[in-house]
Amino acid sequence: MFCYQCEQTAHGTGCVDRGTCGKTAEVAALQDVLLRRAMGLSVCALALARAGHPLVALDAFVENALFTTVTNVNFDADSLESLIGEANRLLAESRDAVGRAGLRNALFGPALAEGSTDRQALLVEAAEIGIDARRQNAGVDVVGLQELLTYGIKGMAAYAHHARILGRHSAQVNSFIHEALEALAKPVVAMDQLLALNLRCGEASLAVLALLDEANTGAMGNPEPTSVLMGHKPGKAILVSGHDLRDLASLLEQTAGRGINVYTHGEMLPAHGYPELKKHSHLVGHFGGAWQDQQRDFAAFPGAILMTTNCLMPPREAYSGRLFTSGVVASPDILHAPDHKFDAVIAAALAAPGFQEASPDRRHTVGFGHHAVTSVAGDVVAAVKSGALKHFLLIGGCDAATAGRSYYSDLAAAAPKDWAVLTLGCGKFRVIDRVEGNIGGLPRLLDMGQCNDAYSAIKVAGALAEAFGVGLNELPLSLVLSWYEQKAVTVLLALLHLGVRNIRIGPKLPAFVTPAILKVLVDNFNVMAIGTVEGDLAAMGAAA
């Protein structure tokens, strides 16, 4: 085993025995094999597409295969083995289609693998294709760029999955995912080609973020500023964590009139701003904090719990039997609710005691997506021109339990009172209650949504740049990002595609970014690690 795809990787270098996330070496190996099968399917898909015979049936499977290998999604070796078996079947069918089209010579590498279903054979295969083996053959810099691209498309696949289940998909997005996987399937790709692919991944990442925004707002309406109870009410209860709005919508429909209150957790907090979700009166509030607090939060929650996407942690006995997964999420210790059907979740909620009394009435306002903010852009521009609003500070991204993340809370608290603070992702829990007051009729703290909603921040920045007649890098805007897993890489690549400079990243830089790769990022985009709160604020333009 060798895995360094998340920020918490052991010793800042790589997990080698067991993932910090909790995945076993066996699970990690099977994920590597599944990724390799996805490469083979993409080689077949592109061979047919280039000959005018697109095989779009592979798109959804490849998306899901990639999403399955994102951190904190799938811990279940049996389900991974089943997915590999399905990939083997699709590969055989795809090779046949390629052969019938007279294109067999276009296939190579993983597209030609017959594919075993024997667990031990799969583990042997994994050792031959893993990061360690590739670094010995190609070197750390080439493999680092390969992994940067891999994590970019893993995040893209997660966003594309969310859009697809809401009825939206993109030929551009799927085509690039296949192209990237085809390049990764080759034994050697030159550094300059990999750099170019990573920058193109940024372009495709922007496209998938726009796609997901269209899917979410098309199905759920444009988010509206909404005050959310950060607590609970008496009654039976279900807690929904993860990111998936479709699952939450289905659960709300299935619990209507059942006497069950539904709460959000973690990155589901922004769901309260969507008109089609908040119309359900039994969506009553938000319980707990960010994803890394779930073992404490879930144990304290007296009802059923549904984990809809990534961010799952190994479960504790305290909530065994009350925790369910859906979609691509899987763990050998957790019951799975299939196909958006939540009868078992509802039954568990009715059997649990629920809350006996109400919590204090603490509130947080969500719903400042690009539609809400740009609708008052004139007021924002006037506040800037009058001098009331001096700067925009975006603090957001993936949160985690590692040391150094108090920096983000301290940064928010220390931001000058004439600065507006934008936040998104579960990084918002580091800044909630740290920013008070209003500027120009708007709260100083603007919660723009999930990490899935990064497109909102991009749209708002673009609208402000247009209003002031300047480029993005000339705006009074600073971006300070926290990263944990692969979707953060996707967002970063999208920002780099737009040419955004001076992005600060923490709490530490990714292990797969070697000194040579970092030099390219610094030279071209001035990407930098976070420093001290005082030093960074001064560099952003705060008065001493």
Side-chain angles (χ1 to χ4, degrees):
M1 175 183 181
F2 185 90
C3 180
Y4 59 5
Q5 71 176 9
C6 85
E7 182 266 335
Q8 287 185 323
T9 192
H11 311 296
T13 55
C15 295
V16 295
D17 297 313
R18 184 181 182 86
T20 305
C21 63
K23 70 181 175 184
T24 64
E26 183 177 55
V27 164
L30 294 174
Q31 289 182 353
D32 286 347
V33 174
L34 180 60
L35 177 62
R36 187 71 175 170
R37 294 291 184 275
M39 293 178 192
L41 290 170
S42 289
V43 171
C44 292
L46 286 177
L48 289 166
R50 287 164 182 156
H53 308 292
L55 195 59
V56 295
L58 296 179
D59 294 347
F61 182 86
V62 169
E63 283 174 6
N64 288 350
L66 290 173
F67 194 2
T68 294
T69 66
V70 167
T71 303
N72 291 70
V73 173
N74 192 310
F75 297 86
D76 184 20
D78 289 343
S79 73
L80 288 165
E81 190 175 281
S82 178
L83 282 167
I84 291 168
E86 176 67 4
N88 290 342
R89 182 187 67 78
L90 290 171
L91 260 176
E93 292 178 357
S94 300
R95 279 195 299 268
D96 287 345
V98 171
R100 289 193 300 272
L103 303 168
R104 184 79 179 185
N105 289 339
L107 302 186
F108 66 91
L112 298 173
E114 291 300 326
S116 173
T117 55
D118 176 74
R119 179 77 60 91
Q120 289 307 310
L122 294 173
L123 297 180
V124 170
E125 180 184 354
E128 297 170 349
I129 62 175
I131 291 172
D132 255 352
R134 288 188 287 116
R135 291 201 301 187
Q136 291 176 24
N137 292 329
V140 295
D141 293 330
V142 166
V143 174
L145 282 174
Q146 287 176 334
E147 294 305 294
L148 180 62
L149 179 61
T150 299
Y151 306 148
I153 61 172
K154 282 187 178 187
M156 281 181 59
Y159 294 137
H161 167 90
H162 289 303
R164 185 177 292 274
I165 62 176
L166 290 172
R168 302 293 182 98
H169 56 86
S170 164
Q172 175 193 357
V173 168
N174 290 116
S175 178
F176 181 80
I177 289 174
H178 289 313
E179 184 180 347
L181 286 170
E182 181 191 51
L184 292 166
K186 295 176 180 177
V188 178
V189 178
M191 285 276 289
D192 58 345
Q193 291 176 288
L194 285 170
L195 281 168
L197 275 170
N198 273 290
L199 292 178
R200 286 188 53 218
C201 185
E203 179 182 18
S205 296
L206 185 62
V208 79
L209 289 168
L211 177 73
L212 181 55
D213 179 75
E214 293 170 5
N216 284 339
T217 58
M220 310 296 171
N222 287 307
E224 303 165 344
T226 302
S227 176
V228 181
L229 171 67
M230 303 295 282
H232 55 83
K233 297 180 177 182
K236 302 290 186 178
I238 296 175
L239 186 64
V240 184
S241 193
H243 305 78
D244 200 289
L245 300 183
R246 163 70 189 280
D247 273 347
L248 177 59
S250 297
L251 179 69
L252 288 168
E253 291 165 3
Q254 292 171 42
T255 50
R258 302 292 297 271
I260 300 173
N261 290 326
V262 176
Y263 298 84
T264 55
H265 177 268
E267 284 246 55
M268 292 300 288
L269 170 58
H272 292 268
Y274 286 93
E276 289 301 308
L277 296 175
K278 71 177 185 176
K279 72 181 184 182
H280 295 278
S281 60
H282 61 300
L283 177 62
V284 298
H286 183 87
F287 182 87
W291 70 272
Q292 75 272 10
D293 298 328
Q294 69 185 250
Q295 291 171 328
R296 179 197 66 201
D297 293 342
F298 291 1
F301 188 78
I305 306 153
L306 177 65
M307 176 59 73
T308 64
T309 56
N310 59 303
C311 295
L312 176 67
M313 296 175 72
R316 297 279 175 85
E317 183 65 28
Y319 46 91
S320 176
R322 297 190 288 116
L323 176 61
F324 299 81
T325 58
S326 63
V328 299
V329 190
S331 169
D333 306 311
I334 304 175
L335 297 171
H336 192 75
D339 303 322
H340 312 287
K341 296 175 182 175
F342 301 117
D343 292 346
V345 182
I346 293 168
L350 292 171
F355 288 105
Q356 303 305 306
E357 57 187 26
S359 67
D361 192 25
R362 174 176 166 247
R363 297 273 168 172
H364 171 66
T365 301
V366 300
F368 292 101
H370 63 86
H371 179 80
V373 177
T374 56
S375 68
V376 293
D379 295 336
V380 175
V381 171
V384 173
K385 289 183 175 179
S386 72
L389 174 55
K390 293 283 198 309
H391 202 81
F392 298 91
L393 175 60
L394 174 64
I395 305 175
C398 304
D399 200 14
T402 43
R405 289 182 179 266
S406 61
Y407 164 93
Y408 297 95
S409 300
D410 295 341
L411 183 70
K417 302 304 181 186
D418 52 7
W419 286 24
V421 178
L422 288 64
T423 190
L424 52 78
C426 54
K428 67 168 58 67
F429 292 100
R430 297 282 175 178
V431 304
I432 288 176
D433 298 332
R434 299 300 183 108
V435 181
E436 298 177 343
N438 297 274
I439 302 177
L442 285 174
R444 281 185 62 227
L445 178 62
L446 301 176
D447 187 339
M448 308 193 81
Q450 300 179 343
C451 66
N452 294 16
D453 298 313
Y455 188 70
S456 273
I458 292 170
K459 286 281 286 184
V460 167
L464 290 173
E466 182 178 353
F468 287 111
V470 299
L472 286 175
N473 292 309
E474 298 170 273
L475 283 173
L477 169 66
S478 299
L479 280 69
V480 185
L481 306 180
S482 53
W483 88 280
Y484 172 69
E485 47 88 0
Q486 294 76 70
K487 288 188 286 184
V489 176
T490 303
V491 174
L492 174 63
L493 291 174
L495 292 170
L496 298 184
H497 163 70
L498 291 170
V500 177
R501 295 177 57 83
N502 307 318
I503 300 170
R504 288 174 169 81
I505 301 175
K508 57 180 178 287
L509 295 176
F512 51 85
V513 175
T514 66
I517 298 172
L518 180 60
K519 185 177 186 306
V520 172
L521 296 177
V522 172
D523 289 349
N524 289 279
F525 304 102
N526 200 34
V527 171
M528 66 191 84
I530 60 173
T532 65
V533 168
E534 296 78 10
D536 287 348
L537 283 174
M540 295 173 205

Coordinates of all heavy atoms in Angstrom, one line a residue, residues 27-89:
V27 N -8.3 -2.7 0.8 CA -9.2 -1.8 0.1 C -8.5 -0.9 -0.8 O -8.9 -0.6 -1.9 CB -10.0 -1.0 1.2 CG1 -10.7 0.2 0.6 CG2 -11.1 -1.9 1.8
A28 N -7.3 -0.3 -0.3 CA -6.5 0.6 -1.1 C -6.1 -0.1 -2.4 O -6.1 0.5 -3.5 CB -5.3 1.1 -0.3
A29 N -5.7 -1.4 -2.3 CA -5.2 -2.1 -3.5 C -6.3 -2.3 -4.5 O -6.1 -2.2 -5.7 CB -4.6 -3.5 -3.0
L30 N -7.5 -2.7 -4.0 CA -8.6 -2.9 -4.9 C -9.1 -1.6 -5.5 O -9.5 -1.6 -6.7 CB -9.8 -3.6 -4.1 CG -9.5 -5.0 -3.6 CD1 -10.7 -5.4 -2.7 CD2 -9.3 -6.0 -4.7
Q31 N -8.9 -0.5 -4.8 CA -9.2 0.8 -5.5 C -8.3 1.1 -6.6 O -8.6 1.6 -7.6 CB -9.2 1.9 -4.4 CG -10.4 1.8 -3.4 CD -10.4 3.0 -2.4 OE1 -9.4 3.7 -2.4 NE2 -11.4 3.1 -1.6
D32 N -7.0 0.7 -6.4 CA -6.0 0.9 -7.5 C -6.4 0.1 -8.7 O -6.2 0.6 -9.8 CB -4.6 0.5 -7.0 CG -4.0 1.6 -6.0 OD1 -4.5 2.7 -5.9 OD2 -3.0 1.2 -5.4
V33 N -6.8 -1.1 -8.5 CA -7.2 -2.0 -9.6 C -8.4 -1.4 -10.3 O -8.5 -1.4 -11.5 CB -7.4 -3.4 -9.1 CG1 -8.0 -4.3 -10.3 CG2 -6.1 -4.1 -8.6
L34 N -9.4 -1.0 -9.5 CA -10.6 -0.4 -10.1 C -10.3 0.8 -11.0 O -10.8 1.0 -12.1 CB -11.6 0.0 -9.0 CG -12.9 0.6 -9.5 CD1 -13.7 -0.3 -10.4 CD2 -13.8 1.0 -8.3
L35 N -9.3 1.7 -10.5 CA -8.9 2.8 -11.3 C -8.2 2.3 -12.6 O -8.4 2.9 -13.6 CB -7.9 3.6 -10.5 CG -7.3 4.8 -11.1 CD1 -8.3 5.9 -11.6 CD2 -6.2 5.5 -10.2
R36 N -7.4 1.3 -12.5 CA -6.8 0.7 -13.7 C -7.8 0.2 -14.7 O -7.7 0.4 -15.9 CB -5.8 -0.4 -13.3 CG -4.9 -0.9 -14.4 CD -3.9 0.0 -14.8 NE -3.0 -0.5 -15.8 CZ -2.1 0.1 -16.4 NH1 -1.9 1.4 -16.2 NH2 -1.3 -0.5 -17.3
R37 N -8.9 -0.4 -14.2 CA -9.9 -0.9 -15.1 C -10.6 0.3 -15.8 O -11.0 0.2 -17.0 CB -11.0 -1.7 -14.3 CG -10.4 -3.0 -13.8 CD -10.1 -4.0 -14.8 NE -9.7 -5.3 -14.2 CZ -8.5 -5.6 -13.8 NH1 -7.5 -4.7 -14.0 NH2 -8.2 -6.7 -13.2
A38 N -10.8 1.4 -15.0 CA -11.4 2.6 -15.6 C -10.5 3.1 -16.7 O -11.1 3.6 -17.8 CB -11.6 3.6 -14.5
M39 N -9.2 3.0 -16.6 CA -8.3 3.5 -17.6 C -8.6 2.6 -18.9 O -8.6 3.1 -20.0 CB -6.9 3.3 -17.2 CG -6.4 4.3 -16.1 SD -4.7 3.9 -15.6 CE -4.6 4.9 -14.1
G40 N -8.7 1.3 -18.7 CA -8.9 0.4 -19.9 C -10.2 0.8 -20.6 O -10.3 0.8 -21.8
L41 N -11.3 1.0 -19.8 CA -12.5 1.4 -20.4 C -12.5 2.7 -21.2 O -13.1 2.9 -22.2 CB -13.6 1.5 -19.3 CG -14.0 0.2 -18.6 CD1 -14.9 0.4 -17.4 CD2 -14.8 -0.7 -19.6
S42 N -11.7 3.6 -20.7 CA -11.5 4.9 -21.3 C -10.7 4.8 -22.6 O -11.1 5.4 -23.7 CB -10.8 5.9 -20.4 OG -11.7 6.3 -19.4
V43 N -9.7 3.9 -22.7 CA -9.0 3.6 -23.9 C -10.0 3.1 -25.0 O -10.0 3.5 -26.1 CB -7.9 2.6 -23.7 CG1 -7.3 2.2 -25.0 CG2 -6.8 3.2 -22.8
C44 N -10.9 2.2 -24.6 CA -11.9 1.6 -25.5 C -12.8 2.7 -25.9 O -13.2 2.8 -27.1 CB -12.6 0.5 -24.8 SG -11.6 -1.0 -24.5
A45 N -13.3 3.5 -25.0 CA -14.3 4.5 -25.3 C -13.8 5.5 -26.3 O -14.5 5.9 -27.2 CB -14.7 5.2 -24.0
L46 N -12.5 5.9 -26.1 CA -11.9 6.9 -27.1 C -11.6 6.3 -28.4 O -11.8 7.0 -29.4 CB -10.6 7.5 -26.4 CG -10.8 8.5 -25.3 CD1 -9.5 8.9 -24.7 CD2 -11.6 9.7 -25.7
A47 N -11.2 5.0 -28.5 CA -11.0 4.4 -29.8 C -12.3 4.4 -30.6 O -12.3 4.7 -31.8 CB -10.5 3.0 -29.5
L48 N -13.4 4.1 -29.9 CA -14.7 4.1 -30.6 C -15.2 5.5 -31.0 O -15.6 5.8 -32.1 CB -15.7 3.4 -29.8 CG -15.5 1.9 -29.6 CD1 -16.4 1.3 -28.5 CD2 -15.9 1.2 -31.0
A49 N -15.0 6.4 -30.0 CA -15.4 7.8 -30.3 C -14.7 8.4 -31.4 O -15.3 9.2 -32.3 CB -15.2 8.6 -29.0
R50 N -13.4 8.2 -31.5 CA -12.6 8.8 -32.6 C -13.0 8.2 -34.0 O -12.7 8.8 -35.0 CB -11.1 8.5 -32.3 CG -10.6 9.4 -31.2 CD -9.2 8.9 -30.7 NE -8.8 9.7 -29.6 CZ -7.9 9.3 -28.6 NH1 -7.4 8.1 -28.7 NH2 -7.5 10.2 -27.7
A51 N -13.6 7.0 -34.0 CA -14.0 6.4 -35.2 C -15.5 6.7 -35.5 O -16.1 6.2 -36.4 CB -13.8 4.9 -35.2
G52 N -16.1 7.6 -34.6 CA -17.5 8.0 -34.8 C -18.5 7.0 -34.2 O -19.7 7.0 -34.6
H53 N -18.0 6.2 -33.3 CA -18.9 5.2 -32.6 C -18.9 5.4 -31.1 O -18.4 4.5 -30.4 CB -18.5 3.8 -33.0 CG -18.4 3.5 -34.4 ND1 -19.5 3.5 -35.3 CD2 -17.3 3.2 -35.2 CE1 -19.0 3.3 -36.5 NE2 -17.7 3.1 -36.5
P54 N -19.3 6.5 -30.6 CA -19.2 6.8 -29.1 C -20.0 5.7 -28.3 O -21.1 5.3 -28.7 CB -19.8 8.2 -29.0 CG -20.7 8.4 -30.2 CD -20.0 7.6 -31.3
L55 N -19.4 5.3 -27.2 CA -20.0 4.3 -26.3 C -20.3 5.0 -25.0 O -19.6 4.9 -24.0 CB -19.1 3.2 -26.1 CG -19.6 1.9 -25.5 CD1 -20.8 1.3 -26.4 CD2 -18.6 0.8 -25.4
V56 N -21.4 5.9 -25.0 CA -21.7 6.7 -23.9 C -22.1 5.9 -22.6 O -22.1 6.4 -21.5 CB -22.8 7.8 -24.2 CG1 -22.3 8.7 -25.3 CG2 -24.1 7.1 -24.7
A57 N -22.4 4.6 -22.8 CA -22.9 3.8 -21.7 C -21.7 3.6 -20.7 O -22.0 3.3 -19.5 CB -23.3 2.4 -22.2
L58 N -20.5 3.9 -21.1 CA -19.3 3.7 -20.2 C -19.2 4.9 -19.3 O -18.5 4.9 -18.3 CB -18.0 3.5 -21.0 CG -17.9 2.2 -21.8 CD1 -16.6 2.2 -22.5 CD2 -18.1 1.0 -20.9
D59 N -19.7 6.1 -19.7 CA -19.5 7.3 -19.0 C -19.8 7.2 -17.5 O -19.1 7.6 -16.6 CB -20.2 8.5 -19.7 CG -19.7 8.8 -21.1 OD1 -18.6 8.3 -21.4 OD2 -20.4 9.6 -21.8
A60 N -21.1 6.8 -17.3 CA -21.5 6.8 -15.9 C -20.7 5.8 -15.0 O -20.4 6.1 -13.9 CB -23.0 6.4 -15.8
F61 N -20.4 4.6 -15.6 CA -19.6 3.7 -14.8 C -18.3 4.2 -14.5 O -17.8 4.1 -13.3 CB -19.5 2.3 -15.6 CG -18.7 1.3 -14.8 CD1 -19.4 0.5 -13.9 CD2 -17.3 1.2 -14.9 CE1 -18.7 -0.4 -13.1 CE2 -16.6 0.3 -14.1 CZ -17.3 -0.5 -13.2
V62 N -17.6 4.8 -15.4 CA -16.3 5.4 -15.2 C -16.4 6.5 -14.1 O -15.5 6.6 -13.2 CB -15.6 5.9 -16.5 CG1 -14.4 6.7 -16.2 CG2 -15.3 4.7 -17.4
E63 N -17.4 7.4 -14.2 CA -17.6 8.4 -13.2 C -17.7 7.8 -11.8 O -17.0 8.2 -10.8 CB -18.8 9.2 -13.4 CG -18.8 10.2 -14.5 CD -20.1 10.8 -14.8 OE1 -21.1 10.5 -14.1 OE2 -20.2 11.6 -15.8
N64 N -18.5 6.8 -11.7 CA -18.8 6.1 -10.4 C -17.5 5.4 -9.9 O -17.3 5.4 -8.7 CB -20.0 5.2 -10.4 CG -21.3 6.0 -10.5 OD1 -21.3 7.2 -10.4 ND2 -22.4 5.3 -10.8
A65 N -16.8 4.8 -10.8 CA -15.6 4.1 -10.4 C -14.6 5.1 -9.8 O -13.9 4.8 -8.8 CB -15.0 3.3 -11.6
L66 N -14.4 6.2 -10.4 CA -13.5 7.2 -9.9 C -14.0 7.8 -8.6 O -13.2 7.9 -7.7 CB -13.3 8.4 -10.9 CG -12.6 8.0 -12.2 CD1 -12.7 9.2 -13.2 CD2 -11.1 7.7 -11.9
F67 N -15.3 8.1 -8.5 CA -15.8 8.6 -7.3 C -15.6 7.6 -6.1 O -15.3 8.0 -5.0 CB -17.3 9.0 -7.5 CG -17.9 9.8 -6.4 CD1 -17.2 10.3 -5.3 CD2 -19.3 10.2 -6.5 CE1 -17.7 11.1 -4.3 CE2 -19.8 11.0 -5.5 CZ -19.1 11.4 -4.4
T68 N -15.8 6.4 -6.4 CA -15.6 5.3 -5.4 C -14.3 5.3 -4.8 O -14.1 4.9 -3.6 CB -15.9 3.9 -6.1 OG1 -17.3 3.9 -6.5 CG2 -15.6 2.8 -5.1
T69 N -13.2 5.8 -5.5 CA -11.9 5.8 -5.0 C -11.5 7.1 -4.3 O -10.3 7.2 -3.9 CB -10.9 5.4 -6.1 OG1 -10.9 6.5 -7.1 CG2 -11.2 4.1 -6.8
V70 N -12.4 8.0 -4.2 CA -12.1 9.3 -3.5 C -12.0 9.0 -2.0 O -12.6 8.0 -1.5 CB -13.2 10.3 -3.8 CG1 -13.1 11.5 -2.8 CG2 -13.1 10.8 -5.2
T71 N -11.3 9.7 -1.3 CA -11.1 9.5 0.1 C -12.4 9.5 0.9 O -13.3 10.3 0.6 CB -10.2 10.6 0.7 OG1 -8.9 10.6 0.0 CG2 -9.9 10.4 2.2
N72 N -12.5 8.5 1.8 CA -13.7 8.4 2.7 C -15.0 8.2 2.0 O -16.1 8.7 2.3 CB -13.8 9.7 3.6 CG -12.8 9.9 4.6 OD1 -11.6 10.1 4.2 ND2 -13.1 9.7 5.8
V73 N -14.9 7.3 0.9 CA -16.1 6.9 0.2 C -16.4 5.5 0.4 O -17.5 5.1 0.9 CB -16.0 7.3 -1.3 CG1 -17.2 6.7 -2.1 CG2 -16.0 8.8 -1.5
N74 N -15.5 4.6 0.0 CA -15.7 3.2 0.0 C -14.7 2.4 0.9 O -13.5 2.5 0.5 CB -15.8 2.6 -1.4 CG -16.3 1.2 -1.5 OD1 -15.8 0.3 -0.7 ND2 -17.3 1.0 -2.3
F75 N -15.1 1.8 1.9 CA -14.2 1.0 2.8 C -14.5 -0.5 2.7 O -14.0 -1.3 3.5 CB -14.4 1.4 4.2 CG -14.0 2.8 4.5 CD1 -14.9 3.9 4.3 CD2 -12.8 3.2 5.0 CE1 -14.6 5.2 4.6 CE2 -12.4 4.5 5.3 CZ -13.3 5.5 5.1
D76 N -15.3 -0.9 1.7 CA -15.8 -2.3 1.6 C -15.2 -3.1 0.5 O -15.4 -2.8 -0.7 CB -17.3 -2.2 1.4 CG -18.0 -3.6 1.4 OD1 -17.4 -4.6 2.0 OD2 -19.1 -3.8 0.9
A77 N -14.3 -4.0 0.9 CA -13.5 -4.8 -0.1 C -14.5 -5.6 -1.0 O -14.2 -5.7 -2.2 CB -12.5 -5.7 0.6
D78 N -15.6 -6.1 -0.5 CA -16.5 -7.0 -1.3 C -17.1 -6.1 -2.4 O -17.3 -6.6 -3.5 CB -17.5 -7.6 -0.4 CG -17.0 -8.7 0.5 OD1 -15.8 -9.2 0.2 OD2 -17.6 -9.1 1.5
S79 N -17.6 -4.9 -2.0 CA -18.2 -4.1 -3.0 C -17.2 -3.7 -4.1 O -17.6 -3.6 -5.3 CB -18.9 -2.9 -2.4 OG -18.0 -1.9 -2.0
L80 N -16.0 -3.4 -3.7 CA -15.0 -3.0 -4.7 C -14.7 -4.2 -5.6 O -14.5 -4.0 -6.8 CB -13.7 -2.6 -4.0 CG -13.8 -1.2 -3.3 CD1 -12.6 -1.1 -2.3 CD2 -13.8 -0.1 -4.3
E81 N -14.6 -5.4 -5.1 CA -14.4 -6.6 -5.9 C -15.6 -6.8 -6.9 O -15.3 -7.1 -8.0 CB -14.3 -7.8 -5.0 CG -13.8 -9.1 -5.8 CD -13.6 -10.2 -4.8 OE1 -12.6 -10.3 -4.2 OE2 -14.5 -11.1 -4.7
S82 N -16.8 -6.5 -6.4 CA -17.9 -6.6 -7.3 C -17.8 -5.5 -8.4 O -18.2 -5.8 -9.6 CB -19.2 -6.3 -6.5 OG -20.4 -6.4 -7.3
L83 N -17.4 -4.3 -8.1 CA -17.2 -3.3 -9.1 C -16.2 -3.7 -10.1 O -16.3 -3.4 -11.3 CB -16.9 -1.9 -8.5 CG -18.1 -1.2 -7.8 CD1 -17.5 0.0 -7.0 CD2 -19.0 -0.6 -8.9
I84 N -15.1 -4.3 -9.7 CA -14.0 -4.7 -10.6 C -14.6 -5.8 -11.5 O -14.3 -5.8 -12.7 CB -12.8 -5.2 -9.8 CG1 -12.1 -4.1 -9.1 CG2 -11.8 -6.0 -10.7 CD1 -11.1 -4.5 -8.0
G85 N -15.4 -6.7 -11.0 CA -16.1 -7.7 -11.8 C -16.9 -7.1 -12.9 O -16.9 -7.5 -14.1
E86 N -17.7 -6.0 -12.5 CA -18.5 -5.3 -13.5 C -17.6 -4.6 -14.5 O -18.0 -4.6 -15.7 CB -19.4 -4.3 -12.8 CG -20.2 -3.4 -13.7 CD -21.3 -4.2 -14.4 OE1 -21.5 -5.4 -14.2 OE2 -22.0 -3.5 -15.3
A87 N -16.5 -4.1 -14.1 CA -15.6 -3.4 -15.0 C -15.0 -4.5 -16.0 O -14.8 -4.2 -17.2 CB -14.5 -2.7 -14.3
N88 N -14.7 -5.7 -15.5 CA -14.2 -6.7 -16.4 C -15.2 -7.0 -17.5 O -14.8 -7.2 -18.6 CB -13.8 -8.0 -15.6 CG -12.6 -7.8 -14.7 OD1 -11.8 -6.9 -14.8 ND2 -12.5 -8.7 -13.7
R89 N -16.5 -7.1 -17.1 CA -17.5 -7.5 -18.0 C -17.6 -6.3 -19.1 O -17.7 -6.6 -20.3 CB -18.8 -7.6 -17.3 CG -20.0 -8.0 -18.2 CD -21.3 -8.1 -17.5 NE -21.7 -6.7 -17.1 CZ -22.3 -5.8 -17.9 NH1 -22.4 -6.1 -19.2 NH2 -22.6 -4.6 -17.4

